[in-house]
Amino acid sequence: MRYCAEISYLGSAFCGWQVQPNGYTVQEAIGTALQRLFHKKTDVTGCSRTDSGVHARQYFCHFDADTNLPVERIAAALQFYTPKEIAVLKVTPMADDFHARYSCTGKNYIYRLLNAPVQDPFEIGRAWWVKYALDTEKMNEAAKAFLGTHDFSAFCAANTSVEDKVRTIRECAVKDCQNHTLEISITADGFLYNMVRIIAGTLVSVGTNEIRAQDIPEIIESKKRAYAGITAPACGLYLNKVYYN
Amino acid sequence: MRYCAEISYLGSAFCGWQVQPNGYTVQEAIGTALQRLFHKKTDVTGCSRTDSGVHARQYFCHFDADTNLPVERIAAALQFYTPKEIAVLKVTPMADDFHARYSCTGKNYIYRLLNAPVQDPFEIGRAWWVKYALDTEKMNEAAKAFLGTHDFSAFCAANTSVEDKVRTIRECAVKDCQNHTLEISITADGFLYNMVRIIAGTLVSVGTNEIRAQDIPEIIESKKRAYAGITAPACGLYLNKVYYN
C-alpha cells in the first residue's frame, strides 16, 4: 500500500531534505524512522528538495509499506521514531500512482524578512535580517511583475540542469507583519532551483532602491541570472503549502 | 556615569541571567562585552533573575562607566561584543540612584502554551507543549481569582528565603493566539521565585479539569505550595515588559 505523510520541519536542524553523505537530512530521518517502524528498508520520496536550513510548514512525502498497523495509528508510530524537529501531522493511504513530487500541482512559499535596525534573537535562523529600511510599496509593485507565465532563467541558480525554465506564478505579494517582519508569499505551479530566494533577494534590492520596480520585466526577459538580485539566505525560506488535485 | 541598557534575549541559549560557575549566562555575556568595550571590569545589575531557558523580550540592566563614547553609539558598540542571541536595543544615561532591580515598579510576563495533539517543531524551546485539550474559558475564570493583593506562598518555590510573600497582581488573563498557541499574561508589582510558572502550571490543571477554577481562592489562602499545580517548564516563560516610573 502506498502512503502519503504530511509533515513539517524546522529547517535549521537539517542539511535539507535529500539524503547526502555529509549531513543529517529530513529524508534520512524519515527513512530511518520508517525502517525502525516496519523492520524493513523503506524508500521515501519527497515533494521537493529543500536546501540546508530551509523550513517546511507543510511537506508531503510518500512511501510503500505492507503493514497491519491501523492507518490512524501510523502517524503517531512514525513520530515516535522521528526527531522532534520534524512533526508527523498525518499519514493517509493513497492510490498506487500517487507521487509526492509528480502529482503536485503547485506550491506556496513564504520568505520571511526581519526589517529592523537590530537583530531579533527570536528570529535567528528564521528570517533574513535586513537592517536597511525597505520600501514595501515598491516591493509590492515589483512583485506584481512576476505574476503570470515566464521563462524564469534569470531567477534560477546558474548551475541547474533543468531545461524548461517556464513557470507560472499565481501569486506574489509582500505583506507587513508584526514585530518588524515582512513576508513575501509566492505561489506557482512549480519552482526552479533557488527561484524563491533569488526573487526575494531581488525584491529586497527593490526595497532598498538598488533595483527599480519597473525594471523587473526587463530582467525577466533578459534570462540572465546576473541581472537579478542576490540569492537571499536559506534561513528565511518556508515551504508553506503544497497543492494536489 | 550610570547607564541603563534595554536588551532582549533568547533564553534557550543561556543558563539564565545570573553569573554561575557551571554555565554561560546573560550577565556573564554582557559583563564580558562591557569589559571588552571599556577595557575595564564592569559590573552589570539586572532587573530580574531569570532561570535557565527563560526568555526576555524586554529586560533592563544597569552599569557604571566612564567613557568618551557618545551615548547614541554605546548600544551598537556593546552589541558588537555581545552574542547574537542577545539584542542590545538601547543604552540610556541615568541618574546615579537608578537601579535596574529596585527602581522597577512592575513586570509583565507571558507564558506561552502550544495546545495541539502534535508538537510544532517551530515551538520547541519556545512554548510548553500540552497535548490535552484545554478549556480556556475555565482557565480565564481561574485567572481572575489571582487578581489583587494576596500572600502568594502557595505559588512560590518551596525553598525560597524571601519573607514577604505578598504581591499585587494587576492583570492575569489567558488569550487564544494563532497556530494553536495560548498566552497567559500576568502583570504584577513583583514576583516570587517560580511564581508565574506555578500559576501557569495551575491554570493548565484547571484547563484539563484536574483543579476547579472555584478552588483557586482556597489554594491561595492555604499558603501551601503542595495545593497548587506543577511548575510549568521554563521554555514557555517570557519576561515581556518591565515598568519604571
Side-chain angles (χ1 to χ4, degrees):
Chain A
M1 172 70 85
R2 177 150 295 188
Y3 293 95
C4 176
E6 179 184 351
I7 64 174
S8 76
Y9 55 84
L10 182 69
S12 43
F14 302 97
C15 293
W17 163 261
Q18 195 170 35
V19 166
Q20 52 146 297
N22 304 315
Y24 188 54
T25 66
V26 181
Q27 190 180 32
E28 179 182 340
I30 300 279
T32 305
L34 288 169
Q35 181 162 358
R36 294 175 77 180
L37 178 58
F38 298 129
H39 307 289
K40 192 181 163 185
K41 187 167 170 7
T42 306
D43 287 335
V44 55
T45 304
C47 61
S48 169
R49 296 184 189 177
T50 60
D51 279 344
S52 185
V54 172
H55 309 285
R57 294 214 171 266
Q58 183 176 60
Y59 189 100
F60 292 94
C61 52
H62 78 255
F63 56 89
D64 295 320
D66 185 16
T67 176
N68 294 322
L69 212 60
V71 65
E72 68 275 11
R73 288 183 49 199
I74 297 179
L78 187 57
Q79 181 72 72
F80 181 79
Y81 294 112
T82 303
K84 63 187 189 309
E85 289 81 5
I86 302 172
V88 181
L89 302 167
K90 206 174 175 183
V91 173
T92 319
M94 305 299 286
D96 283 346
D97 64 347
F98 172 82
H99 191 286
R101 186 164 166 205
Y102 300 131
S103 304
C104 170
T105 56
K107 296 192 195 95
N108 168 247
Y109 279 95
I110 299 280
Y111 193 94
R112 297 186 71 238
L113 296 162
L114 171 68
N115 189 27
V118 177
Q119 170 67 292
D120 178 344
F122 296 91
E123 294 294 355
I124 296 166
R126 295 174 178 221
W128 179 21
W129 173 37
V130 177
K131 62 170 100 175
Y132 311 103
L134 294 173
D135 184 330
T136 52
E137 214 168 298
K138 282 191 185 155
M139 288 171 78
N140 257 315
E141 189 192 326
K144 285 199 193 90
F146 288 102
L147 294 174
T149 303
H150 305 281
D151 181 322
F152 284 104
S153 298
F155 296 87
C156 174
N159 55 352
T160 316
S161 59
V162 177
E163 292 209 350
D164 178 15
K165 291 175 179 162
V166 175
R167 298 289 183 276
T168 301
I169 295 187
R170 299 173 203 156
E171 182 230 355
C172 185
V174 183
K175 200 172 72 175
D176 258 304
C177 297
Q178 52 188 6
N179 296 325
H180 306 282
T181 58
L182 299 179
E183 288 186 5
I184 301 169
S185 176
I186 307 183
T187 308
D189 57 345
F191 290 88
L192 301 167
Y193 186 50
N194 278 353
M195 183 167 152
V196 180
R197 288 167 58 186
I198 300 169
I199 293 178
T202 304
L203 288 176
V204 164
S205 289
V206 170
T208 55
N209 294 309
E210 289 160 88
I211 293 178
R212 294 185 306 171
Q214 63 261 42
D215 291 345
I216 299 293
E218 214 173 307
I219 295 170
I220 296 174
E221 227 170 301
S222 76
K223 298 181 199 165
K224 296 247 191 309
R225 170 67 190 90
Y227 292 179
I230 64 159
T231 305
C235 64
L237 187 59
Y238 295 71
L239 177 52
N240 190 52
K241 288 236 163 91
V242 186
Y243 301 102
Y244 295 94
N245 278 336
Chain B
M1 170 70 83
R2 177 150 295 188
Y3 293 95
C4 175
E6 179 184 352
I7 63 173
S8 75
Y9 54 85
L10 182 70
S12 42
F14 302 97
C15 293
W17 163 262
Q18 195 169 35
V19 166
Q20 53 145 297
N22 304 313
Y24 188 55
T25 66
V26 181
Q27 190 180 31
E28 180 182 340
I30 300 279
T32 304
L34 288 169
Q35 181 162 359
R36 294 175 77 180
L37 178 58
F38 298 129
H39 308 289
K40 191 181 165 186
K41 185 166 172 9
T42 305
D43 287 334
V44 55
T45 304
C47 61
S48 168
R49 295 184 190 179
T50 60
D51 279 344
S52 185
V54 172
H55 309 285
R57 293 213 172 266
Q58 184 177 59
Y59 189 100
F60 292 93
C61 52
H62 77 255
F63 56 89
D64 295 319
D66 185 15
T67 176
N68 294 324
L69 213 59
V71 65
E72 67 276 11
R73 289 184 50 198
I74 297 180
L78 187 57
Q79 182 72 73
F80 182 80
Y81 294 111
T82 303
K84 63 188 189 309
E85 290 81 4
I86 301 172
V88 181
L89 302 168
K90 205 175 177 183
V91 173
T92 318
M94 304 299 286
D96 283 346
D97 64 347
F98 173 81
H99 191 286
R101 185 163 165 208
Y102 300 131
S103 304
C104 170
T105 55
K107 296 191 193 97
N108 168 247
Y109 280 94
I110 300 280
Y111 194 94
R112 297 186 70 240
L113 297 162
L114 171 68
N115 189 27
V118 177
Q119 169 67 291
D120 179 344
F122 296 91
E123 294 293 357
I124 295 167
R126 295 172 179 225
W128 179 21
W129 174 37
V130 177
K131 63 169 100 175
Y132 311 104
L134 293 174
D135 185 331
T136 51
E137 213 168 298
K138 280 189 186 157
M139 289 171 78
N140 256 315
E141 188 192 325
K144 285 199 195 90
F146 288 103
L147 294 174
T149 303
H150 304 280
D151 180 321
F152 284 103
S153 297
F155 296 87
C156 175
N159 55 354
T160 315
S161 58
V162 177
E163 291 208 352
D164 178 13
K165 290 174 179 163
V166 175
R167 297 289 183 276
T168 301
I169 294 186
R170 300 173 203 156
E171 182 229 356
C172 185
V174 184
K175 200 172 70 173
D176 259 303
C177 298
Q178 52 188 8
N179 296 325
H180 305 283
T181 57
L182 299 179
E183 288 186 5
I184 302 169
S185 176
I186 308 183
T187 308
D189 57 345
F191 290 89
L192 301 168
Y193 186 50
N194 278 352
M195 183 167 153
V196 180
R197 289 167 59 186
I198 301 170
I199 292 178
T202 304
L203 288 176
V204 164
S205 289
V206 170
T208 56
N209 294 311
E210 289 160 88
I211 292 178
R212 295 185 306 172
Q214 63 261 44
D215 291 346
I216 299 292
E218 213 172 309
I219 294 170
I220 295 175
E221 224 169 305
S222 77
K223 299 180 198 166
K224 296 247 189 312
R225 170 68 189 89
Y227 291 179
I230 64 159
T231 305
C235 64
L237 187 59
Y238 295 70
L239 177 52
N240 190 51
K241 288 235 165 92
V242 185
Y243 302 102
Y244 295 95
N245 277 337

